[in-house]
């Protein structure tokens, strides 16, 4: 292709969002703003109680605090941009800002994949090997596990973002998305993207395939162990400790598989409807899931509910 048609990196991109559907924009503007506030409040409270309540200073709640912080970072990297795109038709984003946003969203997503696998391992040890739990999941073990999740996710994001943003882009640089989603950006490239596709496939195996298999086998062993517990009360208590995590895993991975695994429509009209569906699915993945996480963990966990009540009571007496 003629290099004169390539776009300078300094020009940036145009985010299309839902500009073709103004009624949906108005509705989602209010809805997403409210959900973002719930995300900040819910995850912020979870982080606070896991730090302040001594009963929650365990590996499981340490991972939960990391998950809540991750959800806040992930939504903060994209939601303000989404809200701005609703207010500003055909929102323009600088090349550098697009790269930063792409890195943050990819890093948080990859980190959450690994972190959910770490949390599944924690539940496996707690239920299947309770006597060895303090030894296996000591602070010298679970802190590096969480740190490794962040390092792995950030490293993968750095590789994917560098490979994507080094490509030449041509045309009007309109990204048919709310944010600089990597697949939407790659569609604008004027060069061969086979290396990008291969690297993303490898990342999917590492950050999606392996954690899913790990979580699946952990669940099999956990369920087998729970069924061997003689008392119904014991089975109920053991299942309640991992049911919240299983719910979060199903919602998180189910949304990803639906978003990237379904076949693409070849019909132009169907493709347009599918674009809207893809955008709404990405909103669910990026906003609804982080909002549900603290609700699920607090509703299904007596320790978290007790810690929140104690925190509210202490604040009330302080005031």
């Amino acid at each position: 292709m003629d290099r004169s048609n390539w776009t300078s990196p300094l020009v940036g991109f145009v985010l299309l969002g839902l500009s073709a559907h103004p009624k949906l924009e108005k509705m989602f503007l209010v809805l997403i703003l409210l959900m973002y506030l719930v995300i900040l409040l819910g995850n912020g409270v979870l982080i606070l109680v896991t730090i302040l309540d001594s009963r929650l200073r365990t590996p499981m709640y340490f991972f939960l605090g990391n998950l809540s912080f991750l959800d806040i970072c992930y939504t903060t990297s994209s939601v303000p941009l989404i809200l701005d795109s609703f207010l500003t038709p055909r929102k323009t984003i600088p090349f550098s800002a697009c790269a930063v946003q792409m890195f943050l969203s990819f890093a948080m997503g990859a980190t959450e994949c690994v972190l959910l696998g770490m949390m599944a391992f924690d539940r496996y040890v707690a239920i299947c090997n309770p006597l060895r739990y303090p030894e296996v999941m000591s602070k010298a073990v679970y802190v590096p596990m969480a740190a490794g999740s962040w390092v792995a996710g950030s490293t993968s994001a750095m590789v994917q973002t560098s490979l994507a943003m080094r490509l030449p882009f041509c045309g009007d640089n309109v990204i048919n998305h709310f944010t600089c989603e990597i697949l939407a950006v790659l569609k604008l490239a004027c060069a061969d993207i086979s290396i990008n596709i291969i690297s993303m496939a490898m990342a999917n195996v590492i950050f999606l395939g392996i954690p899913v298999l790990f979580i699946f086998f952990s669940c099999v062993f956990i369920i087998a162990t729970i069924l061997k517990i003689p008392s119904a009360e014991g089975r109920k208590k053991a299942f309640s400790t991992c049911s919240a995590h299983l719910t979060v895993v199903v919602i998180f991975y189910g949304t990803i598989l639906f978003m990237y695994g379904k076949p693409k429509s070849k019909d132009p009209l169907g493709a347009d409807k599918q674009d809207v569906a893809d955008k709404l699915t990405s909103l669910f993945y990026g906003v609804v899931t982080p909002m549900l996480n603290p609700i699920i963990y607090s509703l299904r966990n007596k320790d978290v509910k007790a810690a929140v009540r104690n925190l509210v009571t202490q604040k009330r007496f302080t005031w």
Side-chain angles (χ1 to χ4, degrees), residues 164-205:
M165 304 313 278
R166 70 175 178 81
L167 294 168
F169 299 98
C170 54
D172 53 5
N173 276 12
V174 175
I175 299 176
N176 191 17
H177 212 277
F178 300 109
T179 62
C180 292
E181 201 268 341
I182 190 166
L183 294 180
V185 172
L186 289 179
K187 292 179 181 179
L188 305 179
C190 298
D192 181 29
I193 60 171
S194 55
I195 294 178
N196 302 77
I197 299 300
I198 293 172
S199 65
M200 287 192 65
M202 293 175 61
N204 286 339
V205 171

Side-chain angles (χ1 to χ4, degrees), residues 9 59 61 72 88 122 124 138 146 163 177 186 192 207 214 216 292:
Y61 297 111
I72 290 177
T88 309
D122 172 74
Y124 161 75
S138 64
L163 289 175
H177 212 277
L186 289 179
D192 181 29
F207 292 96
F214 191 82
F216 173 76
L292 291 177

Side-chain angles (χ1 to χ4, degrees), residues 15 77-85 91 93 101 178-180:
L15 299 174
S77 72
S78 59
V79 169
L81 192 61
I82 294 172
L83 295 175
D84 193 21
S85 70
K91 168 70 179 176
I93 180 172
Q101 195 276 320
F178 300 109
T179 62
C180 292

